[in-house]
Amino acid sequence: MSEDNLTAVLYKAQDLRLEQRPIPTPGHGEVLLRVGSVGLCGSDVSYWWRGRTARHVVKTPLVLGHEFSGTVVQCGPGVHTLKPGDRVAIEPGVPCRVCEHCKKGRYNVCRDVKFCATPPVDGSLTRYYVHPADFCFKLDEGVSDEEGALVEPLAVAVYSCQRAEVGVGRPVLVLGAGPIGLVSLLTARAMGASPICITDINEERLKFARQLGAEHALNVSGMSDKEAARRISQLLPRPPSSVIECSGADSSYRIGILAGAKGGVMVTVGRGNPDVTLPVTLLTAKEMEVRGIFRYANCYPAALAMITSGTVDLRALVTHRFRLDQVDQAFHTARDGTAIKVMVRVDRGGAGHGPTE
Ligand SMILES: NC(=O)c1ccc[n+]([C@@H]2O[C@H](COP(=O)([O-])OP(=O)(O)OC[C@H]3O[C@@H](n4cnc5c(N)ncnc54)[C@H](O)[C@@H]3O)[C@@H](O)[C@H]2O)c1
Ligand SMILES: [Zn+2]
Ligand SMILES: [Zn+2]
């Protein structure tokens, strides 16, 4: 095996260094992976630019990246489900497996979950990475490494649509057309929702959403909450019973409640102002439910099946590609607002695997 384990390490805000690290050894139940593609997420960009997200601070050097795929190069003892050469999508959060939440299957809210690239747990912008085999999901030959990396944001969307009770022939409102809003749009469509209205304040993103099949893409910039809700009610045949908030903007939460159907559900995916003011009286009168979303639990198999079957096609979301040695440039591009999804090709060849790259 090559000695090269080039790794991008964040020391502090805007101080990202490429350095060699020892290649780790897989323990019991673990596999050593050669990392393929890593998608940059808003949280990675926030750690890189500000040295923190809302909740977590980079205090010791941290490797970023949690949306990724790779190839198994070595199996630790006790691994029977994978073999060297298998390409996999990696579910980045590994829970304790024994607490009450884990036992009930809601392992996403496990107190002791170790999530890649969340301090102090290192992420995947490194050539070699060790991970438990049962959090690695085999990719079919027809699925590219980039699509494997996109399973992570897709899992957020699958979980959100499930918890929002998205259903066949029912209107859906998605607030925010960033990567998460866009994958939610595609997932809701794949689940038969119709029509779908998506909002944003960025016309480019709305244009993209239309290309991806949004029946209605509304620019809410400069609108009052009431005006936006009124426009949504004119666009949709009836109030949306499923509202998916993916912007984190104060006004979006309120518009979701104003526009949502009586008895409907709004899921809150966006992470915004913790002290946002909501029209609670209206929420009560409408008997709407607001449900939090924290990542996902047990959604990788469904997300992967949707990609493998072609039910969702996420390839257009990848707008920019860089090699690991260009990682600084990749972060600048992810931050400047022009990209939808920036991918970092970590394999040394840089040419990529799979049919679509
Ligand atoms: N709950 C979870 O587990 C989870 C997982 C991933 C991401 N997130 C959060 O979901 C949100 C979306 O993630 P993303 O990667 O797509 O982020 P993003 O920042 O790329 O996208 C947010 C979008 O919202 C738009 N926006 C801003 N103000 C708006 C407004 N007033 N109305 C409508 N749209 C508006 C922005 O223009 C942008 O297109 C973020 O807050 C992120 O932190 C949560
Ligand atoms: Zn992410
Ligand atoms: Zn647990």
Side-chain angles (χ1 to χ4, degrees):
M1 188 184 302
S2 158
E3 290 302 308
D4 175 17
N5 188 25
L6 193 68
T7 304
V9 186
L10 183 75
Y11 278 77
K12 58 180 191 308
Q14 297 165 59
D15 181 5
L16 189 62
R17 304 181 201 169
L18 282 167
E19 56 187 47
Q20 287 291 342
R21 285 201 164 178
I23 295 175
T25 308
H28 193 272
E30 293 179 334
V31 289
L32 175 66
L33 300 158
R34 194 175 58 238
V35 176
S37 292
V38 179
L40 298 187
C41 168
S43 63
D44 294 315
V45 177
S46 179
Y47 284 125
W48 166 73
W49 187 249
R50 301 193 298 134
R52 59 180 304 148
T53 61
R55 286 171 54 217
H56 301 281
V57 180
V58 178
K59 292 181 183 149
T60 52
L62 179 73
V63 182
L64 298 174
H66 61 266
E67 302 176 359
F68 66 118
S69 58
T71 304
V72 176
V73 288
Q74 192 188 337
C75 294
V79 174
H80 307 296
T81 50
L82 294 171
K83 57 179 187 324
D86 285 344
R87 289 187 313 117
V88 291
I90 292 106
E91 181 171 345
V94 181
C96 82
R97 303 167 194 262
V98 295
C99 74
E100 184 194 347
H101 305 299
C102 284
K103 290 220 159 154
K104 283 184 182 160
R106 281 183 98 148
Y107 60 83
N108 52 328
V109 290
C110 169
R111 269 184 61 157
D112 297 320
V113 68
K114 291 188 174 46
F115 198 88
C116 297
T118 301
V121 182
D122 279 337
S124 57
L125 281 168
T126 179
R127 300 242 205 257
Y128 290 97
Y129 192 85
V130 159
H131 204 67
D134 60 331
F135 281 78
C136 296
F137 296 81
K138 217 170 145 176
L139 299 178
D140 265 28
E141 237 173 62
V143 178
S144 70
D145 282 2
E146 286 189 352
E147 290 175 293
L150 290 166
V151 176
E152 203 277 341
L154 181 58
V156 175
V158 167
Y159 190 57
S160 303
C161 287
Q162 286 172 347
R163 275 175 69 71
E165 299 179 12
V166 167
V168 178
R170 289 162 63 178
V172 167
L173 173 62
V174 179
L175 298 142
I180 295 292
L182 294 172
V183 282
S184 299
L185 159 72
L186 289 170
T187 306
R189 247 170 68 96
M191 289 169 76
S194 170
I196 303 174
C197 178
I198 191 163
T199 68
D200 206 289
I201 52 170
N202 175 330
E203 199 47 53
E204 285 306 306
R205 294 217 156 163
L206 290 166
K207 201 168 127 196
F208 203 83
R210 284 184 203 104
Q211 284 164 8
L212 291 179
E215 284 89 348
H216 306 290
L218 180 67
N219 193 335
V220 293
S221 176
M223 283 187 199
S224 70
D225 300 343
K226 278 192 179 154
E227 169 69 0
R230 197 179 58 80
R231 292 289 303 279
I232 291 162
S233 73
Q234 288 168 345
L235 293 169
L236 294 175
R238 56 188 186 280
S241 48
S242 302
V243 177
I244 305 176
E245 200 303 303
C246 300
S247 77
D250 285 19
S251 58
S252 287
Y253 297 98
R254 290 193 287 265
I255 293 166
I257 295 168
L258 290 169
K262 287 183 177 174
V265 181
M266 174 166 81
V267 292
T268 58
V269 187
R271 291 172 181 155
N273 169 14
D275 301 318
V276 59
T277 304
L278 299 180
V280 177
T281 313
L282 183 63
L283 183 78
T284 307
K286 283 188 169 183
E287 276 202 0
M288 271 185 82
E289 283 182 51
V290 178
R291 297 181 183 167
I293 297 292
F294 190 64
R295 300 170 180 152
Y296 37 75
N298 298 305
C299 292
Y300 260 59
L304 194 47
M306 288 172 95
I307 292 179
T308 308
S309 63
T311 312
V312 294
D313 186 350
L314 304 179
R315 290 172 297 178
L317 296 177
V318 181
T319 51
H320 295 75
R321 295 177 172 85
F322 297 91
R323 297 187 310 269
L324 184 57
D325 59 11
Q326 302 168 313
V327 68
D328 220 52
Q329 209 182 326
F331 273 99
H332 278 284
T333 303
R335 189 176 170 272
D336 76 14
T338 51
I340 301 289
K341 183 57 75 181
V342 172
M343 279 284 166
V344 180
R345 183 75 220 172
V346 174
D347 264 8
R348 227 164 338 156
H353 290 281
T356 58
E357 294 168 33

